[in-house]
Amino acid sequence: MRRLALALAAAGAFVAGADAAAQACPAPRTALVLSGGGAKGLAHLGVFRVLDSLGIRPDLVVGTSIGAIMGALYATGYTPGEIDSLIRALDLPRLFTPRLPLAPTSLGPLRPLVTWDEGRRGFALRSSAVDEAQANAILDAVFLRGNLAAQGDFDRLPIPYRAVATDIVTRRPVVLGRGDLARAVRASMAIPIIFRPVELDGRTLIDGGIAANVPIRVARELGAERLIISRFSKDLSDTTEPVSVLETGQRLLDFLFVQPADTALPGDITVTTDIRGFASLDFDPAKLRALQRQGYDSARVALADPTRCLPRGARARVRDRPLTLGRVDLARGGPADRADLLGTLELREAAPLDVASLEARLARLGHATYFEEVWLGPVPAADGVALRPWIRGSPRRTVGAGAVYDLDNGARAWVGAVARKFLAPPLEGSAALFLGELRSEVMAGLRVAPHRERLTLRPVSTVSLGTERVRLWDAEGSGFVEEGTREAIGFLGLELPLRRGLSVSLGSEGRAWDDTASRGAFGVAARLLAFSGDDAPVVRVDGVATGVYRRILVDAAVPIAAAGFIVRPRVRVAAGDSLPLQLTLPLGGFDDPFPGLRVGEFRGDREVVGALRLQRPVTRAVRLSADAAVGRSATGGPLLASDGWQVGARIGVGVDTFFGLVRAEYGVTADGRGAALVRVGDWF
């Protein structure tokens, strides 16, 4: 006990001496400088924890790229724990990782390899590899409170803040301290190829890491006399061993952000986090936690001297206070855009502003099909805040094209186009051509465009013409015969687009077809489709009832991430009566066939399948998979009869590439049949 008392007394004397020393010397104007580095920037969060524990409060925060994201949250006054939660809300893996986007909603859940958008100078290849609308909406929501506090001047934040971007023409750094906070962060993190450049004040801006990845000089030019610099050790491998396409892209990205480092002065404090073994675009949760620990440990060492003259004080934060919304005058956009924005965000001038509800509505803005960029642009107003939104609508016309190859279905390709404000502003036209070895089809549609993100039924009409060679496999799966069919389908009804990738439609459908004879039918059709991208729930419900045939199909798969695995249970149930040949049901469907069987085997008019897919990522691009399934398909009789059941399993490997997923798998059934699944690209 006596030793413990002496130790406590010594510690108390040490802390008291440190406090006295801190009070005795005037702290110079101190800036916290946060470097860029993609996923490595999560180490900054560990630095924040040390600063908070020591009561250090910088006078200025300057950040580049991921440093701009972290710095804006820190300057707003969020605690490290709150920043951690907000970063999770940002969903950085999806925000920064290139992936094939979904096609416009009118074309269905297709994945284009290339997309052209019509701009001011005609059609141009889409310059980004992420969902721009979704990324911008998330930034709007996460930075809303800071944006409302700054009201166009980042010096109004609890800690003055600057983001650093790069002028694409001069390649010089551009310091952003005014305007919309979320837009400034978006400009600073505009990594070439991955994100579209940001147009701001007549300049085209890209990621600040190109010009000033560690913005030391910027901080000094802003008047800082002492710097706390959070940066990362260099980890540019000089190996000449072959690497994958993704690893090559990763290495090029690292090279892009290399520039001669500005020199830290003797009074500066440099926190250098060792990032060996970490990659700029690797957002694995375990590695992000390790990066935070690395940053924390590095900061504890760098800031260990308690006698340094550093600014200290309690953390200040944005306080929620009642705000009244003043005028909403667009900085860019027309009257229709203003009406859409007010309706979608449920904003009313001269009314109280509910910040929490606005955050939620901004996050959903990415699901709207008519906005690509919305920056609120808050400015001061009497007793509240006014908005000067900058709006970029969806392109007037979009053209997309995609392709896929698999061992059983052969090559398939498509090209489609969407024309918004077609013939008249409320209308949207679409057309697509599908070409394949087994099926070819042309489709055209006309619908009332989504005008506001509300639950409104919209008229829709589609027509399609197609030809198909249907393969009828023998009982052993060793051979098949083909029968040709032709069909024309028309649909007229109502559509309820709930969000991007989720829609419900109901109407009348007419079908004429020719297989062994020419026939036709007319009836009622309903459809629900939910598809939101990689590792997201996928639900498809199709039902049609005519005077000749009836069919209903339910196919649902919901992935669950657990313990480093992705578990994807799937249920597929279908039943029909007097079906045309092309509508009969192969076991497992066409896009994810039953393990051990060829695509299209065991056709019938009723089907039930239960399956489980287990995936284990081994690198950023490679994943191992294992499937198990049980099911049956039959013609007539009870759906769950005791005969005809199949049991199968399949293992394989998948590689994510810039042209989609490449799968190589092999499956077997309980009765000894086997089949390979080889597929290149994503169709859906």
Side-chain angles (χ1 to χ4, degrees), residues 51 67 104 119 152 207 215 243 294 309 318 341 350 434 506 516 563 656:
L51 292 175
D207 194 290
V243 294
Q294 293 277 78
C309 290
V318 170
L341 185 67
F434 301 86
L506 175 67
T516 56
D656 285 313

Side-chain angles (χ1 to χ4, degrees), residues 274-640:
D274 186 354
I275 47 82
R276 286 175 296 181
F278 299 97
S280 295
L281 296 179
D282 187 356
F283 292 92
D284 178 77
K287 290 191 175 182
L288 296 184
R289 290 191 294 270
L291 278 165
Q292 292 185 38
R293 291 193 297 270
Q294 293 277 78
Y296 180 85
D297 292 341
S298 300
R300 285 190 62 187
V301 173
L303 294 163
D305 184 356
T307 64
R308 286 184 183 269
C309 290
L310 293 171
R312 300 178 187 271
R315 167 179 290 276
R317 62 177 301 154
V318 170
R319 296 185 180 275
D320 289 335
R321 59 185 179 89
L323 287 174
T324 299
L325 179 62
R327 286 282 302 167
V328 178
D329 297 313
L330 298 193
R332 168 175 165 161
D337 294 320
R338 182 178 184 275
D340 286 344
L341 185 67
L342 292 176
T344 301
L345 299 182
E346 299 180 23
L347 296 174
R348 289 191 305 144
E349 295 177 337
L353 189 64
D354 186 336
V355 177
S357 297
L358 181 57
E359 278 180 332
R361 289 192 290 270
L362 283 169
R364 292 196 298 268
L365 197 63
H367 301 304
T369 58
Y370 45 91
F371 289 136
E372 192 159 289
E373 286 184 67
V374 174
W375 309 113
L376 294 180
V379 295
D383 301 323
V385 60
L387 300 181
R388 302 288 184 269
W390 192 97
I391 295 176
R392 182 200 298 275
S394 296
R396 185 180 179 90
R397 295 179 181 87
T398 298
V399 177
V404 66
Y405 170 83
D406 71 44
L407 202 58
D408 288 328
N409 289 326
R412 292 180 287 169
W414 67 271
V415 59
V418 171
R420 301 172 181 89
K421 300 181 181 179
F422 180 70
L423 300 177
L427 298 180
E428 180 175 288
S430 59
L433 173 65
F434 301 86
L435 298 174
E437 292 186 22
L438 298 180
R439 180 176 176 84
S440 296
E441 182 180 4
V442 61
M443 178 274 291
L446 187 65
R447 55 183 30 86
V448 173
H451 189 58
R452 293 186 182 177
E453 200 67 13
R454 294 184 176 179
L455 301 182
T456 305
L457 290 170
R458 293 146 189 168
V460 58
S461 174
T462 62
V463 60
S464 64
L465 304 172
T467 64
E468 182 175 356
R469 302 200 319 268
V470 179
R471 287 179 175 174
L472 302 176
W473 291 84
D474 59 29
E476 292 75 27
S478 58
F480 60 83
V481 295
E482 291 184 349
E483 292 194 14
T485 68
R486 295 178 297 172
E487 64 180 357
I489 308 167
F491 176 84
L492 179 62
L494 297 173
E495 183 179 62
L496 181 62
L498 301 174
R499 52 174 286 179
R500 182 172 297 195
L502 173 59
S503 64
V504 179
S505 58
L506 175 67
S508 58
E509 180 179 284
R511 182 187 299 261
W513 69 95
D514 181 4
D515 40 27
T516 56
S518 297
R519 292 184 287 174
F522 183 82
V524 178
R527 185 185 197 198
L528 181 147
L529 180 65
F531 190 94
S532 300
D534 294 347
D535 299 333
V538 177
V539 179
R540 177 187 174 192
V541 179
D542 275 319
V544 60
T546 73
V548 176
Y549 66 88
R550 289 161 294 281
R551 191 182 91 150
I552 185 169
L553 166 68
V554 179
D555 196 336
V558 181
I560 303 167
F565 290 87
I566 299 174
V567 183
R568 189 180 182 91
R570 180 191 180 204
V571 175
R572 177 180 168 93
V573 180
D577 179 43
S578 304
L579 296 178
L581 180 61
Q582 66 273 21
L583 290 183
T584 52
L585 302 159
L587 189 61
F590 291 100
D591 298 302
D592 199 2
F594 196 88
L597 300 181
R598 307 292 294 272
V599 176
E601 285 195 70
F602 289 96
R603 282 180 175 268
D605 61 12
R606 53 212 61 215
E607 172 196 10
V608 58
V609 174
L612 186 68
R613 183 173 181 83
L614 185 67
Q615 293 179 302
R616 172 69 175 182
V618 292
T619 70
R620 296 190 305 275
V622 180
R623 65 184 77 168
L624 302 178
S625 64
D627 294 77
V630 59
R632 74 181 295 267
S633 178
T635 300
L639 179 64
L640 299 177

